[in-house]
Amino acid sequence: MEISLKAMDKTAFTAYRKQAIPAYAKDNVESGRWDESDALARSKQDLDRLLPQGVATDNHFLFNIIEQDRSRKVGHIWLKLEENMRSKSAFIYDIEIDESYRRKGYAKSALAGIEIVAAELGATSLGLHVFNYNDAAMALYKSIGYQVVSHNMQKVISS
């Protein structure tokens, strides 16, 4: 599937933000990390902390994923460049393919595209986070060479 990554402008970021806050809240509720009562507020707080200047935030790169043939948006991807003492790495904070375009190769193509962007920025590795309940995403990432480097675990306890 041929795609291109188009840098988000302020208008595209406003649309992304409107969708991303409830989506991230839902993921955290479904994973058991957050209570539904304050999930939206927590999600908004996280996004505002990570992107205080929106698309102009240093070392953050937000793209719409565009289908080449029809020039339509099929999803988005957010990359952060992290500079360490000896190397640069990159981290995918968010990738999502719109529901009607899933399971058609767009995510795999977008991940290949963002890998090129990360390499052009000088990164020598690319990481991401996936919620444990998302079996389809884990299978995709594993199929293209991502490896688990840590696990977060949680146990619910009662007082």
Side-chain angles (χ1 to χ4, degrees):
M1 190 56 51
E2 291 286 323
I3 60 95
S4 62
L5 300 177
K6 181 180 178 193
M8 286 187 197
D9 59 17
K10 288 180 182 182
T11 302
F13 178 72
T14 299
Y16 167 73
R17 182 176 158 65
K18 187 181 251 185
Q19 174 273 326
I21 290 170
Y24 187 58
K26 180 178 180 258
D27 283 340
N28 277 284
V29 170
E30 285 185 24
S31 72
R33 291 181 64 215
W34 293 353
D35 187 75
E36 192 170 4
S37 65
D38 65 347
L40 280 173
R42 288 180 75 171
S43 182
K44 180 185 179 306
Q45 182 179 24
D46 277 0
L47 190 67
D48 289 345
R49 178 180 51 79
L50 291 168
L51 295 169
Q53 282 82 43
V55 293
T57 303
D58 288 342
N59 294 318
H60 288 263
F61 305 88
L62 293 103
F63 300 94
N64 282 325
I65 302 165
I66 307 297
E67 181 185 40
Q68 285 287 107
D69 294 343
R70 298 192 180 117
S71 297
R72 63 181 162 195
K73 178 184 172 289
V74 297
H76 60 262
I77 192 164
W78 167 12
L79 180 80
K80 180 182 184 214
L81 184 66
E82 300 174 341
E83 299 191 42
N84 303 313
M85 293 287 282
R86 297 184 187 152
S87 66
K88 288 183 184 178
S89 61
F91 190 84
I92 298 169
Y93 268 83
D94 190 14
I95 178 172
E96 185 165 356
I97 302 301
D98 298 342
E99 198 165 333
S100 61
Y101 299 105
R102 292 182 187 163
R103 314 266 186 286
K104 296 179 181 174
Y106 292 107
K108 190 178 273 190
S109 293
L111 289 162
I114 206 70
E115 191 172 320
I116 292 168
V117 171
E120 288 173 349
L121 291 168
T124 58
S125 66
L126 181 59
L128 53 77
H129 169 268
V130 60
F131 286 99
N132 196 48
Y133 70 84
N134 196 339
D135 294 328
M138 285 192 280
L140 168 65
Y141 302 144
K142 186 175 182 178
S143 78
I144 59 175
Y146 284 82
Q147 299 174 355
V148 175
V149 294
S150 70
H151 286 281
N152 291 330
M153 297 177 78
Q154 178 176 313
K155 178 181 179 182
V156 176
I157 58 173
S158 57
S159 51

